[in-house]
Amino acid sequence: QVQLVESGGGMVQPGGSLRLSCTASGVILHFYGVGWFRQAPGKEREEVACISADGRTNVVSSLKGRFSIFRDNAENTVSLRMKNLKPEDAAVYYCAAGQSETLVYSCSGYVDYDSWGQGTQVTVSS
């Protein structure tokens, strides 16, 4: 399994921005499909965005225009950029990684990642 660590969470006012990063240890994350998920209290975990191993990205439709996902190969990270944050975006955000055949070219809706991080809290409040 890959060790993943999320960072960049915190408290932000409505309308603010955050950049979350998912860093991997011991492996080159460039060769993995990576997904970002979130879970708010009392709610199911939901997909936010993902990037396949070949670089195709997907952001769930309700978040398009505000969230984006990208790789920084030099830093061995996959980041989630979030702007115009709303109170309903508050949640624990998790990244996950995997090397299944599916994740080479596609990642939308994929949930069976091999490795998960511990999560980072995002709070949106005035």
Side-chain angles (χ1 to χ4, degrees), residues 15-102:
S17 300
L18 282 175
R19 173 180 164 178
L20 307 183
S21 291
C22 176
T23 303
S25 299
V27 298
I28 301 174
L29 204 55
H30 173 75
F31 296 118
Y32 287 73
V34 176
W36 278 97
F37 296 79
R38 68 185 184 184
Q39 187 167 21
K43 294 190 176 182
E44 302 256 327
R45 185 180 65 196
E46 61 177 351
E47 181 184 9
V48 174
C50 64
I51 184 165
S52 65
D54 74 342
R56 301 175 207 216
T57 61
N58 183 72
V59 176
V60 297
S61 57
S62 60
L63 300 176
K64 283 182 179 176
R66 297 195 300 121
F67 286 31
S68 59
I69 185 171
F70 59 96
R71 292 186 186 275
D72 184 336
N73 292 332
E75 297 292 327
N76 202 31
T77 61
V78 171
S79 293
L80 181 70
R81 183 177 286 126
M82 309 183 294
K83 63 180 183 180
N84 191 21
L85 283 161
K86 304 176 181 181
E88 53 264 39
D89 294 318
V92 178
Y93 283 70
Y94 301 89
C95 69
Q99 280 193 306
S100 75
E101 201 169 324
T102 301

